[in-house]
Amino acid sequence: MATGKAILGALRQELNLSDYRKKHWEGGFEEYLDIVRANPEVTRTAYQRLYDMIISHGTEEVYENKEKVTRYKFFTEFAAKHGDAIYGLDRPLMHLANQFKAAAKGYGTEKRVLLLHGPVGSSKSTIARLLKKGLEEYSRTDEGMLFSFAWKGDNNTWQKCPMHEDPLRLAPLELRPALLERLNEGRKPTEYDVLIQGDLCPFCRQMYTERVAKFDGDWNRMLEDVKVYRLILSEQDRIGIGTFQPKDEKNQDSTELTGDINYRKIAEYGTDSDPRAFNFDGELNIANRGLVEFIEVLKLDVAFLYDLLGASQEHKIKPKKFAQTDIDEVILGHTNEPEYRRLQNNEFMEALRDRTVKIDIPYVTRLKDEIRIYEKDFNADRVRGKHIAPHTIEIAAMWAVLTRLVQPKHANLTLLQKLKLYNGKTLPGFTEDNVVELKREALNEGMHGISPRYIQDKISNALVAHPQENCVNPFMVLQELDAGLRHHSLITSPEQLQHFRELLSVVKEEYEDLVKNEVQRAIAADEDALTRLCSNYIDNVKAYTQREKVRNRYTGNYEEPDERLMRSVEEKIDIPEGRKDDFRREIMNYIGALAIDGKRFDYKTNERLQKALEMKLFEDQKDTIKLTSLVSSVVDKATQEKIDVVKSRLIRNYGYCDVCSTDVLSFVASIFARGHAKK
Ligand SMILES: [Zn+2]
Ligand SMILES: [Zn+2]
């Protein structure tokens, strides 16, 4: 038998060729056996290859509410390179990767349709797109390489297997055990075992039969008519990557999935059951060895159900006029939440129900992750000629996340506070255990609400709607968000509309607080005054923690620490009376540690203390700058100078420009004026 001879006798294929030659490698079947001996992973199944591809990008462990979650860098780092990074979905993605792993190991998941399910505009299609991209790139690497073969025809022409099958399928059933034994000889347990699964496609079967007859049953001679080549997966070339999107329900045809008769060639071959007169170019054919994505899979006509089920459960498809044909590909479907609910009871779903593995891909519920989605498109590099005022993206993202959150059962917790807890902020009286509990009581969170796409559209609108304005600000975006709600197709009830509107007021209020704070801090950001206040505060804290007295710098007398001063600073950052000792001790410990290294304490290294000092200082001097005078049209020279200093601080420290710093100052002034009016 030539197989053993080929294995033992043929020269080792030097795989370390130049890149081009490697990717365009061609050779005989014998040489392929050498490759398989040295790199058994070239024969991996589609699921194994997909999972290994994801793993090849590395993983890291992150903690999400005390629980360890594996983050796959494929979905972050690799994805970022393609402008598609997915943030804030570590858990669903880990679930998905685990399904791939189970399928790779043959635990049964490989016989199911993987169904990504989530609200409109969650990252479902991004995930599918990334997996396809990842497979394409992986097939170009040494560790991800795979092979197929072509048949020698007349006049030195070559005809490739239309389904890019693995060359080992050319081995007849009776030879496979002996071949595998040799191919797997001495294999370490950590390595992949070479497997040969399935039979040749109808086209190759015809080629094979013809040649075996021509060479009088000599399989080895038949192989001389076969050329093996390196297979590079490519969606564009329809090699190993397929996409199926159902058109309108009336107009679906199974040939799109499993191929069609080539009427031009029937005349040539005399019959429509000759595989040479058939195009094996349906999506399930061409996606063999890789992945096929079914967009909105539930819209698939029920007539296709059996194609889909056969493909997933049996790994077989049935092209018209031909026998069942073996396939090896990952089948990934996705569906929108509204569509899923609508179809839950139809015939198609009934049949699919226990044959799918449903993976929920929700919206993001952590503010920082949501912000990153928009910052990708709306940043100073992408948006030219217009300044995005501070908090514009943040406020829009905040509203989007709020619409997705479930009202907490906890009576003392507002939706906005819940959002802040999710975002990693600590609130007095709430621990991380509470956050875990909050998540547990709202398992469906993120499956409803406003999609990032709506937000993106409205930010775009706001950017173009005011051509005469220099900056786009949160009010312009909020106005667009509000205006669009009336025509929003996914808002199903007046109550929901009402709720979303109320949330717009919530974020508006939050914005007022944010800018009030910023302006106050900018007013107070006089460094000398802050340093003086800081050392005064620290002197008192030091005396307090060491139970000593403080020397009054003015009179030289020793006095009790000034409790009122310390509290008035601490209250600015919500340090409750019961926590003040801890806070003061922490600061003294920090200063002590610095002193050991010979360093001096600088309030700017402690963000919270800095904020507290600035706000205290603002309180002390708020009457020296008459902010409210900004709303009147007449400003005296001295006030204008002070205002200019504040403006320059807003620009330097908070990202405002000349225009929006003026706007925000008058806005905050009007808030204070309103406040005074109330009193
Ligand atoms: Zn074939
Ligand atoms: Zn601006």
Side-chain angles (χ1 to χ4, degrees), residues 148-149 151 160-166 169-170 199-205 207 280 288 325:
S148 186
F149 61 93
W151 298 96
K160 291 179 174 175
C161 164
M163 292 174 61
H164 342 290
E165 293 172 293
D166 186 297
R169 275 195 181 172
L170 289 162
D199 287 317
L200 291 171
C201 73
F203 176 81
C204 294
R205 190 181 165 80
M207 297 289 128
F280 295 90
N288 195 35
T325 302

PDB file of all heavy atoms in Angstrom, residues 148-149 151 160-166 169-170 199-205 207 280 288 325, ligand 1:
ATOM      1  N   SER A 148      -7.348  22.020   0.897  1.00  0.00           N
ATOM      2  CA  SER A 148      -8.360  21.330   0.104  1.00  0.00           C
ATOM      3  C   SER A 148      -7.669  20.793  -1.143  1.00  0.00           C
ATOM      4  O   SER A 148      -6.434  20.758  -1.204  1.00  0.00           O
ATOM      5  CB  SER A 148      -9.517  22.270  -0.235  1.00  0.00           C
ATOM      6  OG  SER A 148     -10.530  21.532  -0.885  1.00  0.00           O
ATOM      7  N   PHE A 149      -8.446  20.389  -2.131  1.00  0.00           N
ATOM      8  CA  PHE A 149      -7.805  19.752  -3.286  1.00  0.00           C
ATOM      9  C   PHE A 149      -8.562  20.038  -4.575  1.00  0.00           C
ATOM     10  O   PHE A 149      -9.695  20.522  -4.556  1.00  0.00           O
ATOM     11  CB  PHE A 149      -7.714  18.236  -3.068  1.00  0.00           C
ATOM     12  CG  PHE A 149      -9.053  17.575  -2.911  1.00  0.00           C
ATOM     13  CD1 PHE A 149      -9.715  17.033  -4.011  1.00  0.00           C
ATOM     14  CD2 PHE A 149      -9.672  17.504  -1.671  1.00  0.00           C
ATOM     15  CE1 PHE A 149     -10.962  16.437  -3.874  1.00  0.00           C
ATOM     16  CE2 PHE A 149     -10.922  16.909  -1.520  1.00  0.00           C
ATOM     17  CZ  PHE A 149     -11.562  16.378  -2.621  1.00  0.00           C
ATOM     18  N   TRP A 151      -9.088  18.544  -8.882  1.00  0.00           N
ATOM     19  CA  TRP A 151      -8.971  17.400  -9.795  1.00  0.00           C
ATOM     20  C   TRP A 151      -8.370  17.855 -11.117  1.00  0.00           C
ATOM     21  O   TRP A 151      -8.756  18.886 -11.652  1.00  0.00           O
ATOM     22  CB  TRP A 151     -10.353  16.805 -10.084  1.00  0.00           C
ATOM     23  CG  TRP A 151     -11.040  16.259  -8.875  1.00  0.00           C
ATOM     24  CD1 TRP A 151     -11.962  16.910  -8.109  1.00  0.00           C
ATOM     25  CD2 TRP A 151     -10.867  14.966  -8.307  1.00  0.00           C
ATOM     26  NE1 TRP A 151     -12.377  16.104  -7.088  1.00  0.00           N
ATOM     27  CE2 TRP A 151     -11.720  14.888  -7.186  1.00  0.00           C
ATOM     28  CE3 TRP A 151     -10.080  13.853  -8.617  1.00  0.00           C
ATOM     29  CZ2 TRP A 151     -11.808  13.766  -6.376  1.00  0.00           C
ATOM     30  CZ3 TRP A 151     -10.177  12.725  -7.826  1.00  0.00           C
ATOM     31  CH2 TRP A 151     -11.026  12.693  -6.713  1.00  0.00           C
ATOM     32  N   LYS A 160     -11.453  22.577  -8.704  1.00  0.00           N
ATOM     33  CA  LYS A 160     -11.424  22.476  -7.246  1.00  0.00           C
ATOM     34  C   LYS A 160     -12.701  21.819  -6.720  1.00  0.00           C
ATOM     35  O   LYS A 160     -13.758  21.963  -7.328  1.00  0.00           O
ATOM     36  CB  LYS A 160     -11.303  23.873  -6.637  1.00  0.00           C
ATOM     37  CG  LYS A 160      -9.954  24.504  -6.893  1.00  0.00           C
ATOM     38  CD  LYS A 160      -9.874  25.895  -6.303  1.00  0.00           C
ATOM     39  CE  LYS A 160      -8.446  26.430  -6.453  1.00  0.00           C
ATOM     40  NZ  LYS A 160      -8.315  27.814  -6.009  1.00  0.00           N
ATOM     41  N   CYS A 161     -12.562  21.136  -5.622  1.00  0.00           N
ATOM     42  CA  CYS A 161     -13.758  20.642  -4.929  1.00  0.00           C
ATOM     43  C   CYS A 161     -14.623  21.853  -4.600  1.00  0.00           C
ATOM     44  O   CYS A 161     -14.145  22.793  -3.966  1.00  0.00           O
ATOM     45  CB  CYS A 161     -13.373  19.912  -3.648  1.00  0.00           C
ATOM     46  SG  CYS A 161     -14.779  19.685  -2.531  1.00  0.00           S
ATOM     47  N   PRO A 162     -15.881  21.864  -5.030  1.00  0.00           N
ATOM     48  CA  PRO A 162     -16.699  23.070  -4.818  1.00  0.00           C
ATOM     49  C   PRO A 162     -17.001  23.332  -3.340  1.00  0.00           C
ATOM     50  O   PRO A 162     -17.418  24.429  -2.983  1.00  0.00           O
ATOM     51  CB  PRO A 162     -17.992  22.757  -5.579  1.00  0.00           C
ATOM     52  CG  PRO A 162     -18.042  21.268  -5.673  1.00  0.00           C
ATOM     53  CD  PRO A 162     -16.613  20.802  -5.740  1.00  0.00           C
ATOM     54  N   MET A 163     -16.760  22.342  -2.507  1.00  0.00           N
ATOM     55  CA  MET A 163     -17.042  22.527  -1.079  1.00  0.00           C
ATOM     56  C   MET A 163     -15.767  22.532  -0.234  1.00  0.00           C
ATOM     57  O   MET A 163     -15.820  22.379   0.986  1.00  0.00           O
ATOM     58  CB  MET A 163     -18.042  21.480  -0.597  1.00  0.00           C
ATOM     59  CG  MET A 163     -19.425  21.710  -1.223  1.00  0.00           C
ATOM     60  SD  MET A 163     -20.627  20.432  -0.844  1.00  0.00           S
ATOM     61  CE  MET A 163     -20.724  20.548   0.934  1.00  0.00           C
ATOM     62  N   HIS A 164     -14.652  22.717  -0.874  1.00  0.00           N
ATOM     63  CA  HIS A 164     -13.354  22.859  -0.187  1.00  0.00           C
ATOM     64  C   HIS A 164     -13.122  21.760   0.846  1.00  0.00           C
ATOM     65  O   HIS A 164     -12.695  22.035   1.967  1.00  0.00           O
ATOM     66  CB  HIS A 164     -13.202  24.222   0.502  1.00  0.00           C
ATOM     67  CG  HIS A 164     -14.134  25.269   0.028  1.00  0.00           C
ATOM     68  ND1 HIS A 164     -14.026  25.832  -1.206  1.00  0.00           N
ATOM     69  CD2 HIS A 164     -15.210  25.860   0.620  1.00  0.00           C
ATOM     70  CE1 HIS A 164     -14.975  26.729  -1.367  1.00  0.00           C
ATOM     71  NE2 HIS A 164     -15.709  26.747  -0.275  1.00  0.00           N
ATOM     72  N   GLU A 165     -13.389  20.534   0.464  1.00  0.00           N
ATOM     73  CA  GLU A 165     -13.253  19.453   1.431  1.00  0.00           C
ATOM     74  C   GLU A 165     -11.796  19.181   1.774  1.00  0.00           C
ATOM     75  O   GLU A 165     -10.885  19.486   1.005  1.00  0.00           O
ATOM     76  CB  GLU A 165     -13.884  18.182   0.849  1.00  0.00           C
ATOM     77  CG  GLU A 165     -15.383  18.321   0.693  1.00  0.00           C
ATOM     78  CD  GLU A 165     -15.986  17.155  -0.058  1.00  0.00           C
ATOM     79  OE1 GLU A 165     -15.703  17.015  -1.249  1.00  0.00           O
ATOM     80  OE2 GLU A 165     -16.715  16.378   0.566  1.00  0.00           O
ATOM     81  N   ASP A 166     -11.615  18.548   2.943  1.00  0.00           N
ATOM     82  CA  ASP A 166     -10.284  18.138   3.353  1.00  0.00           C
ATOM     83  C   ASP A 166      -9.832  16.985   2.440  1.00  0.00           C
ATOM     84  O   ASP A 166     -10.606  16.063   2.180  1.00  0.00           O
ATOM     85  CB  ASP A 166     -10.329  17.673   4.807  1.00  0.00           C
ATOM     86  CG  ASP A 166      -8.939  17.364   5.340  1.00  0.00           C
ATOM     87  OD1 ASP A 166      -8.277  16.438   4.807  1.00  0.00           O
ATOM     88  OD2 ASP A 166      -8.514  18.042   6.284  1.00  0.00           O
ATOM     89  N   ARG A 169     -10.564  13.151   2.873  1.00  0.00           N
ATOM     90  CA  ARG A 169     -11.816  12.501   2.491  1.00  0.00           C
ATOM     91  C   ARG A 169     -11.655  11.623   1.254  1.00  0.00           C
ATOM     92  O   ARG A 169     -12.513  10.806   0.938  1.00  0.00           O
ATOM     93  CB  ARG A 169     -12.900  13.549   2.197  1.00  0.00           C
ATOM     94  CG  ARG A 169     -13.619  13.998   3.437  1.00  0.00           C
ATOM     95  CD  ARG A 169     -14.897  14.725   3.094  1.00  0.00           C
ATOM     96  NE  ARG A 169     -15.580  15.168   4.306  1.00  0.00           N
ATOM     97  CZ  ARG A 169     -16.640  15.956   4.317  1.00  0.00           C
ATOM     98  NH1 ARG A 169     -17.137  16.386   3.174  1.00  0.00           N
ATOM     99  NH2 ARG A 169     -17.206  16.293   5.460  1.00  0.00           N
ATOM    100  N   LEU A 170     -10.547  11.814   0.557  1.00  0.00           N
ATOM    101  CA  LEU A 170     -10.291  10.988  -0.624  1.00  0.00           C
ATOM    102  C   LEU A 170      -9.979   9.542  -0.248  1.00  0.00           C
ATOM    103  O   LEU A 170     -10.032   8.660  -1.096  1.00  0.00           O
ATOM    104  CB  LEU A 170      -9.112  11.576  -1.416  1.00  0.00           C
ATOM    105  CG  LEU A 170      -9.393  12.888  -2.148  1.00  0.00           C
ATOM    106  CD1 LEU A 170      -8.097  13.594  -2.507  1.00  0.00           C
ATOM    107  CD2 LEU A 170     -10.230  12.624  -3.398  1.00  0.00           C
ATOM    108  N   ASP A 199     -17.981  11.839   3.787  1.00  0.00           N
ATOM    109  CA  ASP A 199     -17.601  11.378   2.458  1.00  0.00           C
ATOM    110  C   ASP A 199     -17.542  12.530   1.476  1.00  0.00           C
ATOM    111  O   ASP A 199     -18.014  13.617   1.750  1.00  0.00           O
ATOM    112  CB  ASP A 199     -18.611  10.333   1.979  1.00  0.00           C
ATOM    113  CG  ASP A 199     -18.429   9.027   2.734  1.00  0.00           C
ATOM    114  OD1 ASP A 199     -17.266   8.628   2.907  1.00  0.00           O
ATOM    115  OD2 ASP A 199     -19.442   8.459   3.168  1.00  0.00           O
ATOM    116  N   LEU A 200     -16.982  12.211   0.332  1.00  0.00           N
ATOM    117  CA  LEU A 200     -16.809  13.230  -0.698  1.00  0.00           C
ATOM    118  C   LEU A 200     -18.153  13.805  -1.153  1.00  0.00           C
ATOM    119  O   LEU A 200     -19.173  13.117  -1.151  1.00  0.00           O
ATOM    120  CB  LEU A 200     -16.094  12.608  -1.908  1.00  0.00           C
ATOM    121  CG  LEU A 200     -14.629  12.217  -1.688  1.00  0.00           C
ATOM    122  CD1 LEU A 200     -14.125  11.413  -2.891  1.00  0.00           C
ATOM    123  CD2 LEU A 200     -13.763  13.445  -1.454  1.00  0.00           C
ATOM    124  N   CYS A 201     -18.116  15.046  -1.581  1.00  0.00           N
ATOM    125  CA  CYS A 201     -19.316  15.687  -2.111  1.00  0.00           C
ATOM    126  C   CYS A 201     -19.682  15.038  -3.453  1.00  0.00           C
ATOM    127  O   CYS A 201     -18.854  14.349  -4.048  1.00  0.00           O
ATOM    128  CB  CYS A 201     -19.072  17.185  -2.271  1.00  0.00           C
ATOM    129  SG  CYS A 201     -17.982  17.609  -3.638  1.00  0.00           S
ATOM    130  N   PRO A 202     -20.909  15.236  -3.939  1.00  0.00           N
ATOM    131  CA  PRO A 202     -21.322  14.552  -5.178  1.00  0.00           C
ATOM    132  C   PRO A 202     -20.387  14.815  -6.358  1.00  0.00           C
ATOM    133  O   PRO A 202     -20.095  13.914  -7.146  1.00  0.00           O
ATOM    134  CB  PRO A 202     -22.714  15.131  -5.442  1.00  0.00           C
ATOM    135  CG  PRO A 202     -23.217  15.526  -4.106  1.00  0.00           C
ATOM    136  CD  PRO A 202     -22.019  15.993  -3.331  1.00  0.00           C
ATOM    137  N   PHE A 203     -19.884  16.038  -6.449  1.00  0.00           N
ATOM    138  CA  PHE A 203     -18.986  16.356  -7.558  1.00  0.00           C
ATOM    139  C   PHE A 203     -17.706  15.519  -7.470  1.00  0.00           C
ATOM    140  O   PHE A 203     -17.295  14.861  -8.424  1.00  0.00           O
ATOM    141  CB  PHE A 203     -18.646  17.855  -7.543  1.00  0.00           C
ATOM    142  CG  PHE A 203     -17.650  18.246  -8.595  1.00  0.00           C
ATOM    143  CD1 PHE A 203     -18.057  18.466  -9.905  1.00  0.00           C
ATOM    144  CD2 PHE A 203     -16.298  18.389  -8.287  1.00  0.00           C
ATOM    145  CE1 PHE A 203     -17.132  18.806 -10.879  1.00  0.00           C
ATOM    146  CE2 PHE A 203     -15.372  18.730  -9.264  1.00  0.00           C
ATOM    147  CZ  PHE A 203     -15.790  18.937 -10.562  1.00  0.00           C
ATOM    148  N   CYS A 204     -17.083  15.526  -6.296  1.00  0.00           N
ATOM    149  CA  CYS A 204     -15.828  14.795  -6.136  1.00  0.00           C
ATOM    150  C   CYS A 204     -16.063  13.280  -6.237  1.00  0.00           C
ATOM    151  O   CYS A 204     -15.202  12.543  -6.708  1.00  0.00           O
ATOM    152  CB  CYS A 204     -15.171  15.142  -4.803  1.00  0.00           C
ATOM    153  SG  CYS A 204     -14.625  16.856  -4.722  1.00  0.00           S
ATOM    154  N   ARG A 205     -17.211  12.875  -5.794  1.00  0.00           N
ATOM    155  CA  ARG A 205     -17.534  11.452  -5.886  1.00  0.00           C
ATOM    156  C   ARG A 205     -17.533  10.999  -7.348  1.00  0.00           C
ATOM    157  O   ARG A 205     -16.981   9.966  -7.699  1.00  0.00           O
ATOM    158  CB  ARG A 205     -18.911  11.238  -5.254  1.00  0.00           C
ATOM    159  CG  ARG A 205     -19.281   9.811  -5.054  1.00  0.00           C
ATOM    160  CD  ARG A 205     -20.690   9.757  -4.433  1.00  0.00           C
ATOM    161  NE  ARG A 205     -21.233   8.411  -4.536  1.00  0.00           N
ATOM    162  CZ  ARG A 205     -20.900   7.434  -3.703  1.00  0.00           C
ATOM    163  NH1 ARG A 205     -20.080   7.660  -2.709  1.00  0.00           N
ATOM    164  NH2 ARG A 205     -21.407   6.219  -3.872  1.00  0.00           N
ATOM    165  N   MET A 207     -15.899  12.513  -9.838  1.00  0.00           N
ATOM    166  CA  MET A 207     -14.511  12.584 -10.309  1.00  0.00           C
ATOM    167  C   MET A 207     -13.734  11.341  -9.859  1.00  0.00           C
ATOM    168  O   MET A 207     -12.986  10.737 -10.625  1.00  0.00           O
ATOM    169  CB  MET A 207     -13.820  13.827  -9.726  1.00  0.00           C
ATOM    170  CG  MET A 207     -14.401  15.144 -10.150  1.00  0.00           C
ATOM    171  SD  MET A 207     -14.016  15.469 -11.869  1.00  0.00           S
ATOM    172  CE  MET A 207     -15.624  15.828 -12.490  1.00  0.00           C
ATOM    173  N   PHE A 280     -22.657  23.670  -6.843  1.00  0.00           N
ATOM    174  CA  PHE A 280     -22.707  23.487  -5.389  1.00  0.00           C
ATOM    175  C   PHE A 280     -22.292  24.795  -4.726  1.00  0.00           C
ATOM    176  O   PHE A 280     -21.250  24.880  -4.095  1.00  0.00           O
ATOM    177  CB  PHE A 280     -21.794  22.339  -4.966  1.00  0.00           C
ATOM    178  CG  PHE A 280     -22.257  21.001  -5.498  1.00  0.00           C
ATOM    179  CD1 PHE A 280     -21.829  20.527  -6.711  1.00  0.00           C
ATOM    180  CD2 PHE A 280     -23.163  20.243  -4.756  1.00  0.00           C
ATOM    181  CE1 PHE A 280     -22.281  19.306  -7.199  1.00  0.00           C
ATOM    182  CE2 PHE A 280     -23.622  19.026  -5.239  1.00  0.00           C
ATOM    183  CZ  PHE A 280     -23.182  18.547  -6.463  1.00  0.00           C
ATOM    184  N   ASN A 288     -18.687  25.495   3.861  1.00  0.00           N
ATOM    185  CA  ASN A 288     -18.067  24.284   4.392  1.00  0.00           C
ATOM    186  C   ASN A 288     -16.632  24.586   4.827  1.00  0.00           C
ATOM    187  O   ASN A 288     -15.920  25.318   4.165  1.00  0.00           O
ATOM    188  CB  ASN A 288     -18.073  23.199   3.303  1.00  0.00           C
ATOM    189  CG  ASN A 288     -17.781  21.832   3.883  1.00  0.00           C
ATOM    190  OD1 ASN A 288     -18.186  21.525   5.011  1.00  0.00           O
ATOM    191  ND2 ASN A 288     -17.069  21.010   3.126  1.00  0.00           N
ATOM    192  N   THR A 325     -25.254  15.141   1.621  1.00  0.00           N
ATOM    193  CA  THR A 325     -23.852  15.517   1.466  1.00  0.00           C
ATOM    194  C   THR A 325     -23.311  16.002   2.814  1.00  0.00           C
ATOM    195  O   THR A 325     -23.969  16.794   3.483  1.00  0.00           O
ATOM    196  CB  THR A 325     -23.750  16.642   0.415  1.00  0.00           C
ATOM    197  OG1 THR A 325     -24.312  16.143  -0.801  1.00  0.00           O
ATOM    198  CG2 THR A 325     -22.323  17.062   0.183  1.00  0.00           C
TER     199      THR A 325
HETATM  200 ZN    ZN B   1     -15.797  17.769  -3.070  1.00  0.00          ZN
END
